[in-house]
Amino acid sequence: MSQGIELTGMVLSASPSGDYDKRVVLLTKERGKITAFARGARRQGSTLLAAASPFSFGTFTLYEGRTAYTLASADISNYFEKVKENLEGACYGFYFMEFADYYGQENLDASMMLNLLYVSLLALERDQLPDQLVRYVFEIKMMVINGEFPQDVIYDENLMEATRYTIQYIVQAPLQKLYTFVVKEDVLAQLGRMQDGIRGKLVDHRFRSLDILEKIC
């Protein structure tokens, strides 16, 4: 067996494989989006039971195979339990991970995407920030990172000045300062309409978690 490698990442999704295993999709800092199999992770008492679950963030030790990785162990630093405390928070979190999965690619540096996902889940845990605002900030910044956000909307005179300023801030702000503001309800509503239109036009994918989220909110 090849030598184990350590990758920093987050479990985006997990599904059953065989009788006791799990197939997990990880977004990793060093190798982008990868697929790994966690042997025996569905057995009670398995050391991988919690680690091979969505929202788990930490350092993963894996062995590389020809078509997939095998997850050997994990040192999890954050399970984002507060995000999962209620249905709405969990739906937002799952949507963020599904959105990251859409943009994730294998063998590409995903440092900024992973960091954005991490700080966005932390923002969902903060009661001071509206979840809708966190969602639109996350979407816009993820599209900016991947070169798909049309930044000329900053100059769209059909938008309120406060909305244009908000968009400019999201586009330019470093990740550590991304969630340091709130906006008035009319700005949030206009920001949402604008971003929904942009996502619908440029993102060719239907997100199941977003469908659920829009039904319950």
Side-chain angles (χ1 to χ4, degrees), residues 55 82-95 124 130-132 209 212-214 216-217:
F55 295 96
K82 189 174 180 180
V83 173
K84 297 181 285 185
E85 283 180 354
N86 61 77
L87 178 60
E88 185 174 326
C91 284
Y92 273 104
F94 277 114
Y95 172 56
L124 282 180
D131 291 343
Q132 281 186 311
S209 53
I212 298 171
L213 184 60
E214 291 179 340
I216 67 172
C217 293

Side-chain angles (χ1 to χ4, degrees), residues 177-189:
K177 294 185 177 180
L178 194 57
Y179 295 106
T180 57
F181 70 95
V182 294
V183 295
K184 294 181 178 179
E185 288 187 8
D186 58 343
V187 174
L188 179 59

Side-chain angles (χ1 to χ4, degrees), residues 2 14 18 25 31 39 41 44 64 86 88 96 101 119 130 140 171 188 190 192 199 217:
S2 61
V25 176
R31 298 198 179 187
R39 309 299 181 192
Q44 288 299 321
E64 188 174 5
N86 61 77
E88 185 174 326
F96 289 5
D101 185 285
V119 299
I140 291 170
V171 169
L188 179 59
Q190 189 174 60
R199 190 194 65 254
C217 293

Side-chain angles (χ1 to χ4, degrees), residues 145-183:
I145 290 172
N146 286 280
E148 289 197 353
F149 186 77
Q151 298 186 27
D152 57 351
V153 299
I154 294 171
Y155 309 104
D156 185 351
E157 294 186 355
N158 293 314
L159 298 175
M160 293 183 293
E161 182 179 357
T163 305
R164 296 199 304 270
Y165 177 82
T166 300
I167 297 166
Q168 184 177 20
Y169 183 85
I170 296 168
V171 169
Q172 297 178 352
L175 296 184
Q176 64 269 27
K177 294 185 177 180
L178 194 57
Y179 295 106
T180 57
F181 70 95
V182 294
V183 295

Side-chain angles (χ1 to χ4, degrees), residues 101-174:
D101 185 285
Y102 170 80
Y103 278 109
Q105 297 183 56
E106 192 169 0
N107 295 323
L108 289 179
D109 185 313
S111 301
M112 289 191 67
M113 287 178 57
L114 181 63
N115 289 340
L116 172 61
L117 181 58
Y118 188 85
V119 299
S120 299
L121 291 175
L122 288 178
L124 282 180
E125 295 184 331
R126 294 170 55 192
D127 296 332
Q128 305 94 320
L129 294 175
D131 291 343
Q132 281 186 311
L133 176 60
V134 178
R135 168 191 161 183
Y136 292 125
V137 171
F138 172 77
E139 287 182 1
I140 291 170
K141 198 67 170 182
M142 184 65 76
M143 294 182 74
V144 169
I145 290 172
N146 286 280
E148 289 197 353
F149 186 77
Q151 298 186 27
D152 57 351
V153 299
I154 294 171
Y155 309 104
D156 185 351
E157 294 186 355
N158 293 314
L159 298 175
M160 293 183 293
E161 182 179 357
T163 305
R164 296 199 304 270
Y165 177 82
T166 300
I167 297 166
Q168 184 177 20
Y169 183 85
I170 296 168
V171 169
Q172 297 178 352

